[in-house]
Amino acid sequence: MAVYLDNSATTPVAAEVQQALLEVVANYYGNPSSLHRIGGEAEKLMAKAREVAAHVLGVNPGELLFTSGGTESNNLAIKGVAFQYQSRGKHIITTQIEHAAVYQVCKTLEKDFGFEVTYLPVDKNGVVSVQDVEQALREDTILVSVMHVNNELGSVQPVEKIGRLLKNRPKVLFHVDDVQGVGKVPLDIKQSGIDLLSISGHKIHAPKGTGLLYVREGVRLYPLLHGGGQEQGLRSGTENVPGIVALAKALRLAKENEKVHIEHLLGLKQTLLGGLATIHGVQINTPLDKRISAPHIVNLSCPGVKPEVLVHALGERDIYVSTTSACSSRQQQHSRTLQAIGLPQTRLHSALRVSMSVYNTKEDIDYFLQTLEDILPHYQKIMKV
């Protein structure tokens, strides 16, 4: 029995999405920029996918750009704004707990291009203060970038409140990294005053290498890729039509079933948290307040035991979890997010992330809990962090 609980790293591709992907690969191989019939068929399919994605997100089709994933969407949003509007100002606001695809972009803009970036702290729950955002705003601020759901803790940021705050500052653009939130934590893009929003396909049961960037009508970006002028000149390169269709289908499934999926995930999370509370030596890092916590992520610590040891021990029993975000798990560094919430060293050095999808079952969670309870005492005895 394999139990996959690393869905914040990536998700399995849904069966319906696989079918759509294979059909397009087999039958719609034309270049959508070509003028002939085969190219036109691919172009029409891509246009339909854009309409579907726009409809479920509540935006206009012309406000969506297809990208290769969350990292590209975040890069295009932040660098695109920075380079386009640098004559207006060179100050950016973000938080200390952003994914590397935002954090490292900001560091690069500081180091290589002369921008100033304010990295706002978060509280013990991993939530940024709206007041801190307001106080950090300056006359030369051009962008605020705040993630919707933190990828390690599952903490939900006050995106709607920040958006309302920024409506009074029309020269400050608002970018939201919604890679971990879409389909799990509802968010009204238009009502939240968001100017740019990033989505990754492989977090919602679409293939890797697919993504979206919402760009509000009227916002201009400096392109990162130059070439044939695809995607309104902002993302040159022949479009990945099969991936685009698959992403649109996965997004539609995620949004249409959002309420049911959330209820299912909340049930799993309740079982997981209830079981972890009974296991000696386990401490929960994820906020317990449902209002600020996503339904699919639980971060926990087992002080005294190296997390890599537990990841491998669980893996030997066909249970798959992670130590931190997948993009950082091979780096021998402490989690920036867990440091930001002030965890003591013992918990910082022993953290695991369990992340669920709609395909997980209560039996999966029960198996994980029983296995952890069985193996943890052994490692607590022999391990020293």
Side-chain angles (χ1 to χ4, degrees), residues 141-161:
T141 303
I142 56 172
L143 177 68
V144 174
S145 179
V146 175
M147 67 195 332
H148 184 201
V149 173
N150 180 262
N151 54 308
E152 293 185 59
L153 289 170
S155 51
V156 179
Q157 305 305 316
V159 165
E160 293 91 345
K161 293 180 180 177

Side-chain angles (χ1 to χ4, degrees), residues 76-234:
L76 178 55
I78 298 170
K79 290 178 184 172
V81 167
F83 297 150
Q84 182 67 42
Y85 294 98
Q86 57 185 317
S87 61
R88 184 186 292 175
K90 301 189 77 170
H91 180 236
I92 294 170
I93 298 171
T94 188
T95 78
Q96 295 177 353
I97 63 167
E98 297 300 310
H99 187 277
V102 168
Y103 189 81
Q104 292 302 334
V105 172
C106 289
K107 287 291 182 182
T108 298
L109 289 173
E110 281 186 301
K111 179 176 176 289
D112 297 336
F113 298 97
F115 285 82
E116 287 185 67
V117 181
T118 299
Y119 301 90
L120 295 175
V122 293
D123 64 16
K124 64 180 182 181
N125 290 315
V127 178
V128 71
S129 159
V130 180
Q131 289 71 32
D132 284 352
V133 175
E134 184 172 20
Q135 290 176 5
L137 289 168
R138 309 186 331 200
E139 286 302 313
D140 61 342
T141 303
I142 56 172
L143 177 68
V144 174
S145 179
V146 175
M147 67 195 332
H148 184 201
V149 173
N150 180 262
N151 54 308
E152 293 185 59
L153 289 170
S155 51
V156 179
Q157 305 305 316
V159 165
E160 293 91 345
K161 293 180 180 177
I162 295 172
R164 285 199 293 272
L165 166 72
L166 296 179
K167 281 183 179 178
N168 299 320
R169 302 288 294 262
K171 291 187 176 181
V172 181
L173 296 174
F174 185 28
H175 168 245
V176 173
D177 175 354
D178 199 24
V179 165
Q180 294 291 344
V182 65
K184 287 103 175 177
V185 181
L187 178 65
D188 189 318
I189 296 175
K190 290 293 185 181
Q191 292 299 316
S192 301
I194 295 168
D195 298 298
L196 303 124
L197 181 133
S198 302
I199 289 174
S200 175
H202 74 105
K203 312 293 189 182
I204 55 170
H205 306 288
K208 298 171 185 63
T210 61
L212 271 174
L213 177 64
Y214 160 76
V215 184
R216 180 181 58 76
E217 186 177 3
V219 174
R220 292 178 296 154
L221 297 178
Y222 188 87
L224 305 185
L225 301 176
H226 296 84
Q230 289 89 344
E231 295 298 289
Q232 305 174 47
L234 290 171

Side-chain angles (χ1 to χ4, degrees), residues 297-361:
I297 299 175
V298 171
N299 193 294
L300 60 110
S301 289
C302 302
V305 182
K306 290 182 178 178
E308 297 84 359
V309 171
L310 281 180
V311 167
H312 291 302
L314 290 166
E316 290 174 356
R317 291 155 180 83
D318 259 355
I319 298 172
Y320 303 98
V321 299
S322 60
T323 54
T324 176
S325 70
C327 299
S328 305
S329 61
R330 293 185 184 276
Q331 300 172 9
Q332 300 301 312
Q333 297 175 352
H334 300 148
S335 161
R336 190 164 28 80
T337 296
L338 299 185
Q339 285 181 307
I341 65 172
L343 283 188
Q345 293 293 309
T346 52
R347 289 171 68 175
L348 185 64
H349 294 184
S350 60
L352 289 177
R353 180 182 68 178
V354 178
S355 51
M356 301 165 285
S357 85
V358 68
Y359 296 115
N360 286 121
T361 64

Side-chain angles (χ1 to χ4, degrees), residues 3 18 34 69 78 88 207 246 269 306:
V3 175
Q18 291 181 38
S34 296
I78 298 170
R88 184 186 292 175
K269 186 175 180 180
K306 290 182 178 178

Side-chain angles (χ1 to χ4, degrees), residues 226-268:
H226 296 84
Q230 289 89 344
E231 295 298 289
Q232 305 174 47
L234 290 171
R235 207 272 179 178
S236 288
T238 303
E239 296 93 341
N240 172 13
V241 180
I244 286 170
V245 172
L247 168 61
K249 181 144 193 171
L251 186 60
R252 179 175 64 77
L253 293 172
K255 295 297 288 183
E256 287 181 351
N257 299 297
E258 189 173 66
K259 185 176 180 181
V260 174
H261 289 177
I262 290 172
E263 288 177 359
H264 178 72
L265 291 169
L266 284 172
L268 296 180

Side-chain angles (χ1 to χ4, degrees), residues 262-281:
I262 290 172
E263 288 177 359
H264 178 72
L265 291 169
L266 284 172
L268 296 180
K269 186 175 180 180
Q270 187 175 4
T271 299
L272 178 58
L273 289 173
L276 290 172
T278 68
I279 300 176
H280 177 71

